[in-house]
Amino acid sequence: MGEEDSDVKTLNAAREPDDLEDVIKPKANHCEHHGENSAIVKSIGAEGGEDQNIENVFDISIVLPHQPYKIQVPVSLQGQVQDLRSAIVEQPGTFQYTCFHLEHNGQRINDFTELSDVKDLAPGSEIRLIEDPYTERDARMHVVRIREIIGVAGNRVDMLNGVDAGLSLHETVAPWNGSDAASAAKQKSANLKLTADANPLSDFSFDGPALIQTLLPPNQEAPPRTIKALGVSPWNPPPPTFRQRGHLLYLQLTTNEGEQFQITSHVSGFFVNRSSNSKFDPVPKASPKNAMAHSLLTLIQALSPSFGDAFNMLLEANNKRDPLATFQLTSAIPSNPWLVSASSSSTTAHQPDLTRTQETYLLSGVENTETLRDWNEEIQSTRELPRETVQDRVFRERLLAKIFAEFNDAAARGGALVARGEVAPLNPTESKDAQIFVYNGIFYSFGADGVGTFTSEGGDEAARIAVGKDVAGVRSVNQLDIAGLATPGTIIVDYLGKRLVAQSIVPGIFKQREPDEPQVDYGGVEGKDIVADNDAFVPTFSQVSKALKVKKHAVWDKERKKHVLEGSVETKGLLGTDGRKYILDLYRLTPLDISWLDAYWTDSICHGQKPLERNYPHRMSVLRPELIEAYWRVKMSEYVKAELDKRKDDQKNVADGDKSDQADQKSAIETRDAQSTGASGAEKNGLETTRDRGRVDISSFSFSLNPDVFCGQVPQTAEEKEEWANDERDVRAVADYLHQNIIPEFIRDLKEGEVGFPMDGQSLSRLMHKRGINVRYVGKLASLTKEGSPRLQALNGLAKQEMIARAFKHVANWYLKNLPTAMAPSCLAHLLNCLLGTETNSSPKAQLDEDLQYLYKDADFSFADATPQSLQTDIETQTQLRYRYTLEEAWLSSVRRAQLLREIALKLGLQLLAKDYCMSPETEGRPSDLVSMTNGSATASLINGHATNGTTSNGGKRKKKRNNGDSPPISATTSAILEPPHTFIADDIVNIVPIVKDSSSKSVLAEEALEAGRISMMQNQKELGQELLLESLSLHEQIYGILHPEVARVYHQLAMLYYNLDEKDAAVELAHKAVVISERTIGIDSDETILSYLNLSLFEHANHNTAVALACQRHALELWKIIYGPDHPDCMTTYNNAAVMLQHLKFFHESRVWFEKSYAISEYMSGKDSVSTATLAFQLAQALALDQDHKGGVNRMREAYSIFHHKLGPEDRNTKEADSWLDQLTVNAVSIAKHAKDVQAQKVRRALFTPRVTLRTQPQAPVGRSSTEGMNGHVAHPTDSLDNRSIDELMKYIESSGDATRKTPTKKRKNPRSRRAEPSL
């Protein structure tokens, strides 16, 4: 989560329940901006001004050859002609057009130019759409598009995108009003209809189990069927005779009326031919079935009478959905949910579609040559595009983002095929780890030490880490965007226990050079034994080194010859046969973490193994670049401070020398004008002097690190040895800074709430990386947080969960690596049973198919021998080995099993069947461990996604008793009917998707505009800031496309900025988009998605849509339970916001419950005497007063006042306000108590004079009171109607149990403050 404001500021929300800004408003990012940032603002502002002059949005008319004959399309001169084409074909009236060109004033418009190049294009201009003749490729693309438009394309299955890939639940969270969810007027009426029992939070359970149905889309009605089938005819492709006549394709159409038509795709369009299933005659059919049209859509409409109505119904159904939730992702790999519905669900049901098998042909042609691309040439050619103007940069970065997205998609698909063994190696005689592959123009190799390169560094473990660091290094170099330096497209694919590296093929990398010629042109050739020098690489490599803080240093080859390199000896430069300079092997851009290696690594081996205390699996432990950047800032601050101190000393000496000259200066002034002139000049000079005093020239400052220290280099001369020792000292200083400053500050910030507390392992790892902490230190975090505050205890639990999940991943990968793909589900199910399923079966047995065992005789089925005890031992060993942390004996009983299952699934790419997994003992008092998330019924719960509380666990108990016997494993055919004896079965592993890590860089131009906008807003230049922010948003959308994680993040940030600017409608609109895109590209239950929902809730409430806001709060809280469990350290703020929203709807009792929960969590997490707790006590006091609990309100307000007075002092604004509220609440409480006593006395007096009541009888107590409360067992006297007690007695009555009488002796109230309250009636 983002950084939250100080808890003191939440007091403002208590005063104004309608405003939540101060409750969860994140802190502004306090950027340290120097003079160069001002230059950025000016340059971006100038560029933005240039764009503003060029950009001119207006409407033009598109003249069509068919109905509706003319449409209006908004265009921008900054856009491309391709954008205009896309806008035309996406409109409902122009769906049918795919093969056409545009003309303006009779001149054909080039499709690959900018609209600004179209001559005389102005507002109101008419552009004519002219239909073109088809080619075979055009015809195939037309058929694919028409199938998608009319809803007969069916579901697509591929290796990369899993089940429900790119899912969004946004539409099911709340009853959005149409496509515009920000309509406040409509939601106001919805708020009025809410009742206390019907509000979205009415049945929310704070400590209840997580509901998996939160992650499942509801069953949807099947869309209207427009036709029965449309596909390629068996007569396809056309024979040569008819191909000469213009025949391109033969199609077969079956309408809803049951008629079947054979259709010819001709260069002129589509027509019905005379062919049948048994007769081939592709010429046009005679009347009356002689329909012909340029578009297949128009032809179908002419042939099927019911098609038009069905197609309109389909369009209406599609229009009801958010377009962002339905658009296909093309610029990013969609997220895959870890829990999916059963195959019988309408959302995941597999539909029959014969043409699905023909899509490869439709997309790629008969020869399948259209998908073969020279990826490297495309990437490098795009990098070399001009970048002089803003338009050039936008076009270049947009094309780069597109090519990288397409490369990542193709490389990931090929990597999955290689991992499954479906691609033949180029060197089949080599060992499996050394085999290389080429598929679809992409080079693949395993992330293992197949040729012994990393033998001394740790072997396969070192190679696996090295390829991961290489991808990160390529990404860093790509971000620098240095002209003249090329990097290959690179990604990593983790799939089925294997790590594959996919790279674009560098020209000349496979070329066999002369024997005396090195294989590379710069850097180490084979390790550090042979080093190549080439001055041509120095200019570009020096730019990389300067930007990444890499020191220019000397290295020595095996002959002790000195070579001066700009980068690490492991970093190589290759001059490709295309003449480009390539930089390769970027896994050593930062130095080794020597403090870690000194403690846990050794090269010495005794009796075949290393000592346990120094047996870390590899020597590739390097420092993170974020750490080096942080240390650079520290050294920079020290340098600036030293320069300022030096300047002060110099100025002091100068000032002493100038004192004698002041008298002479005064005598030289003769007139008042001269005095005035001299004063103004002195003021100007003084201003410049003051300005210069705060400015330090940092051009002479330099700090860089040698990445090759501690790597076996041997300096030769004394001077070289001294310099090398200094380099080693610098690296050790950075490592010490990590241990002595970064890690303690990280823990302290999390303890004090200075940063948002992580929700899961991914957010913890991301937060550690942002601070420059490697994940290997998660064990140290756990060790340092074993004892301490509840927030530290929560961090300890999260760190242990992350270590266990990662350890399980390593164990599972070891088993999966040499296992056939068909056995992977059985292996994973058995390992999950051994870890999480022991409550169902303490001795799980692996479900092995004997036939498959016989087929794969050489496979390793050792996973079947794993037991719960052996697996726990392996996890403990891996945790100790990799993170240097020893798990306690009963560690499995302390982890949150549902959350651990999620972490494992995300790390291995598992998609599990959504059902009731009995993983935890059903023990009272530990609701957080209950994992009964859905119905125990396997079939019913999977279909309807229904979940219940109470009956689920009982049902689970009954099933557990039935399944604890020694019955044999139930086969997959009966698992749907009988409960299996194991928690997990192979069928529960629905799918395994590859985990992809790419090297794509961010857009420099879009990031510059965003940062400049932020700086302008911080400098209170709102107009310029808003322009720059809008420009940044436009750039992000143009460069990445809308459906991209970076666009979701910029939507999120801009929504917060607009909200702070009181532009609530714009904030709501952007927040909705951020939610949908985050769900589809990052994950429906990611921490970023949860934060987006919470912010959307805040914005909707501010926009008077509190009903929708509560629904968003509910969904976010349910997701929170799934990924973390109940009572997250930061959830008290969310509970507080929900309480304020309920208070706004006048649900005072419900609001009180949420305030009490928030207060209880704060009291537990922060302590009773913290300012945070006092703030929440302040708000709770108001809620209690609104709920007619005046005594409780006074007590809570007194607590808040005492803490504020003690912590902040009597003059603090919060202390004074609490004092004022305490006075008011006390006065009101006294007044209400006195009024209640008067009413009671009047009832007693009336009872006394009632004839039916004698002196020996007592009146019946009023409704809701007992007799003793009414009369105290004796007859009241008339004087009891007057309350003659003092204010202090009334105060004591309020504070006591409520039964004090006049007979109780009065004691003087001990209060540090003297308070006199006048009761008011």
Side-chain angles (χ1 to χ4, degrees):
M1 294 181 62
E3 297 184 358
E4 296 175 354
D5 214 351
S6 64
D7 295 318
V8 179
K9 291 188 178 180
T10 60
L11 192 61
N12 296 331
R15 296 197 307 273
E16 296 292 337
D18 292 347
D19 295 327
L20 296 178
E21 290 87 346
D22 293 320
V23 180
I24 72 168
K25 181 170 62 177
K27 289 181 180 179
N29 293 326
H30 299 291
C31 307
E32 297 181 8
H33 54 280
H34 305 287
E36 64 269 15
N37 284 345
S38 300
I40 291 176
V41 174
K42 292 179 181 178
S43 64
I44 296 294
E47 292 178 349
E50 182 182 350
D51 290 344
Q52 190 174 7
N53 294 332
I54 295 175
E55 184 173 0
N56 187 10
V57 179
F58 52 85
D59 287 341
I60 62 173
S61 300
I62 307 296
V63 180
L64 307 172
H66 309 289
Q67 288 186 349
Y69 298 113
K70 183 180 288 189
I71 60 172
Q72 298 290 322
V73 177
V75 297
S76 167
L77 291 179
Q78 189 181 0
Q80 307 285 326
V81 176
Q82 288 288 348
D83 298 333
L84 175 59
R85 290 178 62 95
S86 299
I88 293 173
V89 299
E90 293 298 334
Q91 296 201 19
T94 53
F95 278 147
Q96 67 269 29
Y97 300 108
T98 62
C99 185
F100 62 90
H101 72 270
L102 302 175
E103 292 184 358
H104 179 56
N105 294 335
Q107 298 294 321
R108 179 165 182 159
I109 301 175
N110 190 332
D111 293 338
F112 301 98
T113 61
E114 295 183 0
L115 288 173
S116 58
D117 296 332
V118 179
K119 188 177 181 181
D120 298 332
L121 186 64
S125 297
E126 286 191 354
I127 290 182
R128 189 171 298 275
L129 186 149
I130 307 297
E131 295 175 335
D132 285 338
Y134 288 95
T135 63
E136 191 217 10
R137 183 183 183 279
D138 293 335
R140 287 188 281 106
M141 295 300 104
H142 183 82
V143 172
V144 171
R145 173 169 171 77
I146 296 302
R147 278 172 48 82
E148 292 177 349
I149 289 175
I150 64 178
V152 295
N155 59 316
R156 291 173 177 169
V157 180
D158 56 50
M159 295 291 183
L160 182 61
N161 298 329
V163 181
D164 283 338
L167 175 67
S168 173
L169 301 176
H170 171 265
E171 297 172 307
T172 66
V173 171
W176 314 114
N177 290 317
S179 60
D180 184 9
S183 177
K186 297 180 180 179
Q187 284 300 334
K188 285 181 180 178
S189 60
N191 290 338
L192 298 177
K193 297 177 183 177
L194 278 179
T195 62
D197 296 332
N199 78 79
L201 299 178
S202 59
D203 59 343
F204 179 80
S205 174
F206 294 107
D207 300 320
L211 302 176
I212 281 188
Q213 69 184 32
T214 307
L215 300 179
L216 303 180
N219 284 332
Q220 300 175 357
E221 296 182 2
R225 293 191 60 178
T226 55
I227 60 173
K228 289 186 177 180
L230 173 64
V232 179
S233 169
W235 300 112
N236 196 71
T241 304
F242 289 97
R243 183 173 294 276
Q244 299 295 331
R245 303 181 188 178
H247 291 204
L248 304 175
L249 300 173
Y250 296 135
L251 309 174
Q252 186 170 290
L253 168 70
T254 304
T255 65
N256 284 341
E257 292 80 11
E259 292 188 85
Q260 188 179 87
F261 297 94
Q262 298 286 338
I263 298 175
T264 296
S265 172
H266 192 263
V267 292
S268 62
F270 297 83
F271 61 83
V272 179
N273 62 40
R274 297 180 182 179
S275 298
S276 65
N277 290 334
S278 58
K279 177 185 176 183
F280 178 64
D281 188 5
V283 299
K285 197 169 187 177
S287 180
K289 298 293 184 179
N290 58 345
M292 180 176 180
H294 187 270
S295 172
L296 183 59
L297 184 68
T298 307
L299 180 63
I300 296 174
Q301 191 166 5
L303 296 176
S304 175
S306 62
F307 175 80
D309 294 337
F311 185 57
N312 289 332
M313 293 174 60
L314 177 65
L315 292 179
E316 291 178 4
N318 292 337
N319 290 335
K320 292 179 180 178
R321 300 198 60 190
D322 189 337
L324 291 178
T326 57
F327 285 164
Q328 184 177 357
L329 278 82
T330 58
S331 58
I333 296 177
S335 66
N336 295 289
W338 65 281
L339 280 177
V340 295
S341 303
S343 59
S344 57
S345 172
S346 64
T347 58
T348 58
H350 193 53
Q351 303 293 338
D353 182 17
L354 180 63
T355 314
R356 182 167 49 226
T357 61
Q358 304 167 348
E359 279 195 345
T360 302
Y361 158 71
L362 290 173
L363 294 172
S364 306
V366 177
E367 304 295 335
N368 195 26
T369 57
E370 296 180 15
T371 58
L372 299 179
R373 302 166 64 176
D374 188 344
W375 294 104
N376 189 76
E377 182 61 31
E378 289 189 37
I379 292 173
Q380 309 311 332
S381 299
T382 305
R383 282 204 180 110
E384 293 167 355
L385 289 173
R387 58 179 94 180
E388 284 75 18
T389 65
V390 175
Q391 290 78 16
D392 290 341
R393 294 179 66 184
V394 171
F395 180 76
R396 176 178 175 272
E397 293 189 3
R398 178 181 181 182
L399 197 55
L400 266 178
K402 178 178 180 294
I403 289 176
F404 272 116
E406 293 172 352
F407 172 79
N408 295 341
D409 183 86
R413 294 178 190 277
L417 292 176
V418 172
R420 295 171 69 93
E422 299 181 16
V423 179
L426 297 180
N427 53 343
T429 59
E430 300 286 343
S431 64
K432 191 172 182 180
D433 289 342
Q435 290 177 349
I436 58 176
F437 309 81
V438 172
Y439 180 79
N440 197 11
I442 301 172
F443 173 74
Y444 295 92
S445 61
F446 288 105
D449 192 21
V451 295
T453 305
F454 297 95
T455 302
S456 62
E457 308 290 329
D460 289 345
E461 289 282 354
R464 183 182 180 90
I465 297 298
V467 295
K469 299 296 182 183
D470 182 41
V471 169
V474 173
R475 187 186 309 116
S476 299
V477 174
N478 286 342
Q479 191 65 43
L480 298 177
D481 199 13
I482 297 173
L485 187 63
T487 56
T490 309
I491 73 164
I492 282 178
V493 181
D494 289 328
Y495 187 56
L496 297 176
K498 306 173 185 67
R499 168 163 285 190
L500 286 129
V501 187
Q503 292 180 309
S504 60
I505 301 176
V506 176
I509 196 170
F510 296 126
K511 179 183 176 182
Q512 293 295 328
R513 302 194 180 188
E514 297 297 329
D516 58 343
E517 186 181 2
Q519 286 297 112
V520 298
D521 299 287
Y522 190 77
V525 179
E526 296 177 0
K528 55 181 180 292
D529 292 340
I530 302 176
V531 180
D533 290 322
N534 192 327
D535 293 339
F537 285 85
V538 172
T540 52
F541 272 53
S542 63
Q543 296 181 56
V544 175
S545 300
K546 182 178 180 181
L548 299 180
K549 316 293 187 300
V550 177
K551 182 178 181 179
K552 182 179 181 179
H553 62 281
V555 297
W556 297 264
D557 58 22
K558 62 182 179 181
E559 297 177 356
R560 305 306 182 193
K561 182 181 178 182
K562 180 179 178 181
H563 304 267
V564 178
L565 298 179
E566 291 288 346
S568 169
V569 70
E570 304 292 347
T571 303
K572 301 172 178 58
L574 177 67
L575 186 62
T577 55
D578 57 357
R580 298 186 177 101
K581 301 181 185 68
Y582 291 87
I583 183 170
L584 307 173
D585 292 348
L586 295 167
Y587 54 83
R588 188 70 67 75
L589 291 178
T590 56
L592 294 175
D593 186 356
I594 189 59
S595 61
W596 180 272
L597 293 177
D598 283 347
Y600 306 120
W601 167 268
T602 182
D603 294 322
S604 60
I605 298 178
C606 182
H607 302 293
Q609 60 182 3
K610 297 181 179 182
L612 293 179
E613 65 275 6
R614 303 188 68 182
N615 63 341
Y616 194 66
H618 60 83
R619 200 176 183 272
M620 298 299 296
S621 305
V622 297
L623 300 172
R624 290 197 61 84
E626 295 90 347
L627 172 65
I628 296 176
E629 184 69 25
Y631 190 75
W632 179 87
R633 289 182 178 275
V634 171
K635 302 299 289 184
M636 165 73 78
S637 300
E638 293 176 356
Y639 173 81
V640 171
K641 183 179 179 182
E643 288 294 316
L644 290 176
D645 292 342
K646 181 180 178 181
R647 184 175 299 176
K648 287 181 181 178
D649 294 339
D650 294 342
Q651 290 174 352
K652 183 178 180 182
N653 296 332
V654 173
D656 294 338
D658 290 345
K659 287 182 178 179
S660 60
D661 298 335
Q662 292 180 357
D664 297 336
Q665 285 182 342
K666 290 182 181 178
S667 61
I669 302 174
E670 298 178 352
T671 61
R672 181 172 298 182
D673 293 338
Q675 291 177 357
S676 167
T677 305
S680 62
E683 183 180 354
K684 182 177 180 181
N685 294 332
L687 214 63
E688 293 177 354
T689 303
T690 305
R691 204 175 285 162
D692 290 338
R693 285 176 185 173
R695 185 178 300 170
V696 176
D697 183 14
I698 62 173
S699 60
S700 58
F701 172 77
S702 175
F703 174 80
S704 56
L705 297 175
N706 184 346
D708 287 327
V709 294
F710 308 111
C711 294
Q713 293 290 332
V714 182
Q716 300 301 305
T717 66
E719 183 180 355
E720 292 170 353
K721 291 179 180 179
E722 182 181 359
E723 183 179 0
W724 202 262
N726 292 333
D727 292 344
E728 290 181 346
R729 190 161 44 251
D730 289 340
V731 172
R732 287 190 182 275
V734 177
D736 293 340
Y737 180 71
L738 171 65
H739 290 270
Q740 298 172 7
N741 297 85
I742 296 295
I743 294 178
E745 289 175 4
F746 178 73
I747 295 176
R748 183 174 63 252
D749 288 345
L750 287 175
K751 176 184 177 181
E752 297 176 357
E754 293 296 326
V755 295
F757 201 89
M759 300 183 189
D760 60 354
Q762 288 183 332
S763 56
L764 174 61
S765 301
R766 187 168 58 249
L767 193 58
M768 291 175 64
H769 287 166
K770 188 176 180 180
R771 293 294 186 97
I773 306 173
N774 303 83
V775 174
R776 59 178 172 270
Y777 286 104
V778 69
K780 183 170 185 177
L781 291 182
S783 299
L784 295 174
T785 55
K786 281 185 177 180
E787 299 177 356
S789 67
R791 288 181 69 91
L792 294 184
Q793 293 296 311
L795 178 61
N796 176 268
L798 196 58
K800 288 194 294 185
Q801 175 182 291
E802 180 68 4
M803 287 187 290
I804 294 169
R806 287 176 176 266
F808 181 91
K809 179 191 72 172
H810 288 291
V811 174
N813 284 338
W814 186 82
Y815 284 119
L816 289 170
K817 184 177 181 180
N818 299 314
L819 196 65
T821 304
M823 297 302 298
S826 298
C827 172
L828 290 166
H830 179 62
L831 294 178
L832 289 174
N833 280 325
C834 291
L835 179 65
L836 301 173
T838 53
E839 295 302 321
T840 301
N841 190 331
S842 59
S843 300
K845 304 296 182 184
Q847 301 175 19
L848 293 176
D849 191 320
E850 295 181 357
D851 294 335
L852 289 178
Q853 279 186 288
Y854 179 78
L855 287 174
Y856 297 102
K857 294 181 181 179
D858 298 333
D860 183 7
F861 293 97
S862 58
F863 75 89
D865 301 329
T867 63
Q869 294 75 23
S870 68
L871 180 61
Q872 291 182 29
T873 301
D874 290 341
I875 290 176
E876 292 169 2
T877 301
Q878 291 293 323
T879 304
Q880 173 63 32
L881 178 68
R882 298 178 184 277
Y883 309 110
R884 299 295 148 175
Y885 184 82
T886 302
L887 295 171
E888 58 271 15
E889 292 184 2
W891 59 267
L892 189 57
S893 62
S894 63
V895 299
R896 303 175 189 257
R897 300 199 178 193
Q899 287 71 34
L900 179 59
L901 176 63
R902 174 183 177 271
E903 294 287 351
I904 290 172
L906 293 178
K907 285 175 172 54
L908 290 173
L910 307 183
Q911 290 192 291
L912 304 175
L913 187 64
K915 56 181 273 190
D916 177 17
Y917 294 111
C918 181
M919 294 185 289
S920 299
E922 297 168 357
T923 306
E924 293 183 3
R926 287 172 54 194
S928 62
D929 285 338
L930 296 180
V931 200
S932 298
M933 303 183 190
T934 59
N935 268 332
S937 172
T939 54
S941 64
L942 295 180
I943 295 176
N944 54 33
H946 181 65
T948 57
N949 292 329
T951 59
T952 303
S953 58
N954 294 334
K957 287 181 180 179
R958 290 194 294 270
K959 292 171 187 173
K960 182 178 175 182
K961 291 179 181 178
R962 289 199 302 267
N963 295 329
N964 272 344
D966 297 332
S967 58
I970 298 175
S971 64
T973 56
T974 60
S975 62
I977 302 174
L978 301 176
E979 186 71 16
H982 298 89
T983 300
F984 301 91
I985 60 174
D987 289 347
D988 293 334
I989 313 297
V990 177
N991 191 26
I992 305 175
V993 296
I995 306 298
V996 179
K997 300 177 182 178
D998 62 73
S999 59
S1000 304
S1001 60
K1002 297 181 181 179
S1003 167
V1004 178
L1005 181 61
E1007 292 296 323
E1008 285 177 354
L1010 181 61
E1011 185 63 21
R1014 287 179 185 155
I1015 294 174
S1016 298
M1017 299 300 295
M1018 292 170 59
Q1019 295 175 347
N1020 204 26
Q1021 300 176 3
K1022 293 186 177 181
E1023 186 175 350
L1024 174 61
Q1026 284 184 306
E1027 290 180 5
L1028 291 171
L1029 292 175
L1030 287 175
E1031 181 67 20
S1032 172
L1033 177 60
S1034 175
L1035 291 172
H1036 275 86
E1037 293 177 340
Q1038 289 183 60
I1039 292 170
Y1040 295 113
I1042 295 181
L1043 297 176
H1044 193 277
E1046 291 301 323
V1047 177
R1049 295 183 181 107
V1050 76
Y1051 277 145
H1052 178 83
Q1053 297 173 23
L1054 291 182
M1056 287 298 303
L1057 289 171
Y1058 276 111
Y1059 175 72
N1060 293 330
L1061 293 173
D1062 205 29
E1063 298 282 348
K1064 295 185 174 60
D1065 287 339
V1068 167
E1069 181 181 357
L1070 292 172
H1072 277 281
K1073 293 181 178 180
V1075 165
V1076 177
I1077 301 173
S1078 295
E1079 286 183 323
R1080 301 196 64 194
T1081 60
I1082 304 175
I1084 56 175
D1085 60 348
S1086 69
D1087 61 305
E1088 294 184 55
T1089 300
I1090 293 176
L1091 182 58
S1092 294
Y1093 267 111
L1094 292 176
N1095 281 342
L1096 175 60
S1097 172
L1098 171 66
F1099 305 156
E1100 287 283 11
H1101 171 72
N1103 212 27
H1104 310 291
N1105 302 338
T1106 306
V1108 173
L1110 289 175
C1112 295
Q1113 287 269 359
R1114 172 66 180 265
H1115 187 71
L1117 290 172
E1118 294 289 359
L1119 292 177
W1120 216 333
K1121 276 207 245 181
I1122 289 174
I1123 75 170
Y1124 179 84
D1127 297 344
H1128 184 275
D1130 285 345
C1131 67
M1132 58 184 176
T1133 305
T1134 304
Y1135 290 165
N1136 190 76
N1137 292 336
V1140 174
M1141 294 177 189
L1142 290 168
Q1143 199 174 78
H1144 173 76
L1145 295 176
K1146 296 184 172 48
F1147 298 153
F1148 297 128
H1149 179 70
E1150 291 75 11
S1151 172
R1152 167 186 176 171
V1153 172
W1154 285 79
F1155 274 126
E1156 288 174 341
K1157 182 62 176 178
S1158 178
Y1159 174 79
I1161 295 176
S1162 177
E1163 191 176 41
Y1164 173 70
M1165 291 290 176
S1166 306
K1168 294 183 178 181
D1169 297 331
S1170 68
V1171 175
S1172 170
T1173 303
T1175 304
L1176 293 173
F1178 184 100
Q1179 295 174 293
L1180 178 57
Q1182 295 176 321
L1184 291 170
L1186 291 173
D1187 197 31
Q1188 306 303 316
D1189 186 357
H1190 305 284
K1191 174 185 172 183
V1194 171
N1195 292 336
R1196 292 300 182 198
M1197 189 61 70
R1198 184 177 293 109
E1199 291 178 13
Y1201 170 78
S1202 300
I1203 297 173
F1204 285 146
H1205 188 275
H1206 176 69
K1207 295 284 186 179
L1208 305 178
E1211 300 301 322
D1212 186 80
R1213 178 176 61 89
N1214 296 285
T1215 306
K1216 293 180 178 180
E1217 188 146 4
D1219 188 13
S1220 174
W1221 273 93
L1222 181 59
D1223 288 341
Q1224 296 178 31
L1225 291 178
T1226 303
V1227 169
N1228 292 338
V1230 170
S1231 175
I1232 293 172
K1234 181 177 180 181
H1235 179 70
K1237 188 171 182 65
D1238 290 344
V1239 172
Q1240 181 65 27
Q1242 291 175 7
K1243 292 181 179 179
V1244 171
R1245 186 169 61 252
R1246 286 197 301 269
L1248 182 65
F1249 291 102
T1250 300
R1252 290 174 292 181
V1253 180
T1254 64
L1255 293 178
R1256 296 178 180 268
T1257 61
Q1258 297 179 2
Q1260 295 295 322
V1263 178
R1265 290 181 177 265
S1266 62
S1267 298
T1268 56
E1269 287 179 315
M1271 295 297 298
N1272 287 327
H1274 67 276
V1275 179
H1277 297 281
T1279 56
D1280 289 342
S1281 61
L1282 298 176
D1283 194 335
N1284 55 5
R1285 287 180 291 179
S1286 66
I1287 295 297
D1288 287 340
E1289 289 176 315
L1290 288 174
M1291 287 293 301
K1292 186 167 184 178
Y1293 171 83
I1294 295 172
E1295 295 171 349
S1296 65
S1297 59
D1299 56 357
T1301 63
R1302 285 178 297 149
K1303 297 180 180 180
T1304 304
T1306 303
K1307 295 182 181 180
K1308 187 175 181 180
R1309 183 166 173 259
K1310 296 180 180 180
N1311 192 344
R1313 303 183 303 116
S1314 61
R1315 182 191 307 274
R1316 300 191 63 178
E1318 295 294 333
S1320 58
L1321 298 179

